[in-house]
Structure formats: C-alpha cells, structure tokens
Amino acid sequence: MSFKENNVRVDKAWDRLYTRLENDGLLAEQPPKMRRMFHLSPFVKWTGAVAAIVCVVIGIWLFLPSTTHTIPMLILHNNENAVTLVTTLNDGSLVYLADNTSLQYPKEFAGETREVYLQGEAYFDVAANKARPFIIDTEIAKIEVVGTAFDVKSRYNGAFSLSVKQGEVIVMLKNNQKATYVKAGETVLANMDGNDLQLMQSNDLFNSYKEQIRFKDEYLKNIVNAINKESDSIRIELAPDLFNKQLTITFSDESPESMVKIISLALKLQYSKQGNTIYISSAS
C-alpha cells in the first residue's frame, strides 16, 4: 500500500470516529472555566495529536485484512528403522521416505510450482506437469523436475547425492547457484561445503526403498496406485466405493497378489482374479 493510499484510509477512519463521538454526544463543549483550567501549551497539543494519529494508524493496521497468504504445511517424519514410509501428495506424486527422514509439504499445491522441503533420504516418483515444476528444497541444493523418478539424500552433516531412475533433473547449489542436469542412470554428488557437483554413473539404489514399506492412514486408492506402479505383470482394480477407505499397513517384499490378500483380510474385502487383473470389492 502506498503512503498516499494509507493517508486516505487514516483520514476516513478519523472521520468515522469523529462522527460516532458526535452522534453519541461525547463532543459537547466544556465550560469556559474548565477550558482555562486545563489550558495546554502548543507543544503538548502537538505531541498529543501526533500520539493520537500513531494510535489510529496502528489500530487500522492491526485490523486490516492481511495481504500475505501463507500456505499451511504438513510435516511427515519417518522414525522407523529399515522401514520406508510411503505417502501420496496432492498432485499424485509418490514419496518413499527412508528412516530418520522428514518431508514438509502443503496439503494442496498452489501457485506456479509444487515445492516441498526434505531432510534425509527419499525416493520420489513425481507426477508429470510441465506447467508446474516440482521443486525439492534441501539444505545444500534445490532440485527441479517436471515428472520423473529419482533418489535424494540430504543429511544434516552436509552429505548430498541424487540418483535419477527415469527422466531428467536439474540440481542447483544454494551457495553459488552452480547447476547441472542429471539424467537417468546418473548420480550427482555435492562436496561437504556445497560448492561443487560431481557426476558419475549410478548404482541401483532404488530397490532398497521397496523392501519394507509402510502406509500410514493412507487412502486405499493411493495404496493400490503405488502397488501398480511397481508391478509389470499384475494390475489391481479397486471398486469406486473403496477409494477413500483408509488403512495403516506394512508390506515386507510381498508380491502384488500377497499384498491384495493382506489388504482384503485387514478390511474384510473380497477379491477375484481374471487374467492379469485382480479386482477388489466389498464383501457381499
């Protein structure tokens, strides 16, 4: 807000206050003797006027609606050893959090980017959206993607690495804005000072995230989607009335068929298989 606009609003506030006091009969003149008894010097009058204006300006500022909108953030922390915590973000992106890892993210993405904050190790399978890049903010670097799958390690001691499974990722150091592209099959490492990046061929680090996974209060449609993403031979179909059922469950390197059996047993559902598709529905 400009200074001129602010003055206009203050003047209007003074006018409203004066009108209200006048209507309530609170501006009646005091007797002459009283006026002489409490005669104030010009300096005191000037000081009081300034103080009154300051009070009004502060009051108006406090009660004006805020023009800054902050996005509420959620924090997910995995403190279980050797268990990967899996969650689905609002845009459909899958995140696998390793142990002692925290992810800060909005309940719903807003604006031109999808930004999250990571401390620890995680595997991301990002939903593609060219119009809204996905950004991961870590202690040392910022990572920007459109839609791809990759592993990120960013610990408190400054260790940072990123390995890409599919697609391409841009990594930019915060210290000096040095950036590099990392393609599928490559790993980038940052030195402890966060001043340099080194590219190398990556090892297969991704399967370790899937050995033991846990879903916590997750919608069944998201659990089924995560299973389908990792299965080439079996497709799981879920009845629409089961989409929003919530479940907390852990899988230890089970096949898709075994996962379906565990889910059905936990929620008292039924399933049937036709060819390479398994259908889950409510028990009749």
Side-chain angles (χ1 to χ4, degrees):
M1 184 185 299
S2 68
F3 182 76
K4 183 177 180 180
E5 290 173 339
N6 190 59
N7 281 342
V8 171
R9 300 190 74 165
V10 171
D11 288 342
K12 288 181 178 179
W14 265 113
D15 291 340
R16 289 195 297 269
L17 177 61
Y18 186 91
T19 300
R20 182 175 177 181
L21 294 177
E22 186 176 39
N23 291 338
D24 293 341
L26 299 176
L27 294 179
E29 283 194 6
Q30 296 174 335
K33 290 183 179 179
M34 292 292 292
R35 288 201 300 269
R36 286 195 296 271
M37 185 180 302
F38 294 99
H39 176 72
L40 300 175
S41 69
F43 174 78
V44 174
K45 288 181 179 180
W46 180 83
T47 305
V50 171
I53 292 173
V54 170
C55 290
V56 171
V57 171
I58 292 174
I60 293 173
W61 176 79
L62 288 174
F63 287 99
L64 282 176
S66 174
T67 57
T68 303
H69 300 281
T70 57
I71 301 175
M73 301 294 283
L74 304 175
I75 297 178
L76 185 64
H77 182 72
N78 182 16
N79 53 11
E80 298 186 47
N81 292 327
V83 177
T84 301
L85 183 60
V86 185
T87 191
T88 301
L89 304 183
N90 171 250
D91 65 335
S93 297
L94 273 168
V95 185
Y96 296 74
L97 297 183
D99 57 304
N100 298 314
T101 295
S102 294
L103 180 74
Q104 190 175 359
Y105 61 99
K107 185 176 181 180
E108 294 185 5
F109 289 108
E112 298 179 352
T113 61
R114 298 168 288 165
E115 188 162 3
V116 300
Y117 304 85
L118 176 71
Q119 182 64 62
E121 301 180 18
Y123 173 76
F124 289 82
D125 192 336
V126 175
N129 187 339
K130 291 183 178 179
R132 301 175 72 190
F134 192 95
I135 296 174
I136 303 169
D137 197 336
T138 70
E139 185 177 355
I140 287 180
K142 275 198 172 187
I143 303 153
E144 181 175 334
V145 300
V146 171
T148 186
F150 54 94
D151 158 76
V152 183
K153 294 181 175 64
S154 178
R155 291 294 185 183
Y156 289 104
N157 60 7
F160 175 89
S161 69
L162 180 142
S163 300
V164 178
K165 182 178 182 181
Q166 300 169 1
E168 189 175 65
V169 173
I170 302 173
V171 177
M172 185 183 73
L173 295 174
K174 291 183 175 180
N175 279 355
N176 53 19
Q177 282 71 56
K178 183 176 181 179
T180 187
Y181 285 89
V182 190
K183 299 178 182 179
E186 294 180 338
T187 293
V188 65
L189 303 175
N191 61 6
M192 297 297 288
D193 297 328
N195 294 320
D196 195 25
L197 293 168
Q198 180 182 358
L199 272 176
M200 60 178 63
Q201 294 300 308
S202 60
N203 299 319
D204 190 6
L205 307 171
F206 310 104
N207 290 334
S208 61
Y209 285 97
K210 319 294 174 56
E211 292 173 357
Q212 190 170 15
I213 59 176
R214 178 174 175 81
F215 297 89
K216 184 177 180 181
D217 297 325
E218 187 62 88
Y219 290 120
L220 193 53
K221 62 179 180 180
N222 292 336
I223 296 176
V224 168
N225 179 59
I227 297 172
N228 283 334
K229 276 184 172 288
E230 296 305 316
S231 175
D232 297 325
S233 57
I234 295 295
R235 176 78 183 175
I236 303 172
E237 296 287 345
L238 188 66
D241 63 306
L242 300 177
F243 282 1
N244 293 328
K245 273 191 171 294
Q246 289 181 288
L247 181 62
T248 295
I249 196 165
T250 301
F251 299 114
S252 297
D253 204 19
E254 276 98 2
S255 65
E257 293 95 330
S258 296
M259 293 181 185
V260 169
K261 291 179 182 179
I262 296 171
I263 291 171
S264 300
L265 183 63
L267 295 176
K268 298 181 180 179
L269 304 175
Q270 65 182 16
Y271 63 92
S272 60
K273 186 177 180 181
Q274 297 179 10
N276 293 328
T277 303
I278 302 177
Y279 299 89
I280 305 177
S281 58
S282 300
S284 45

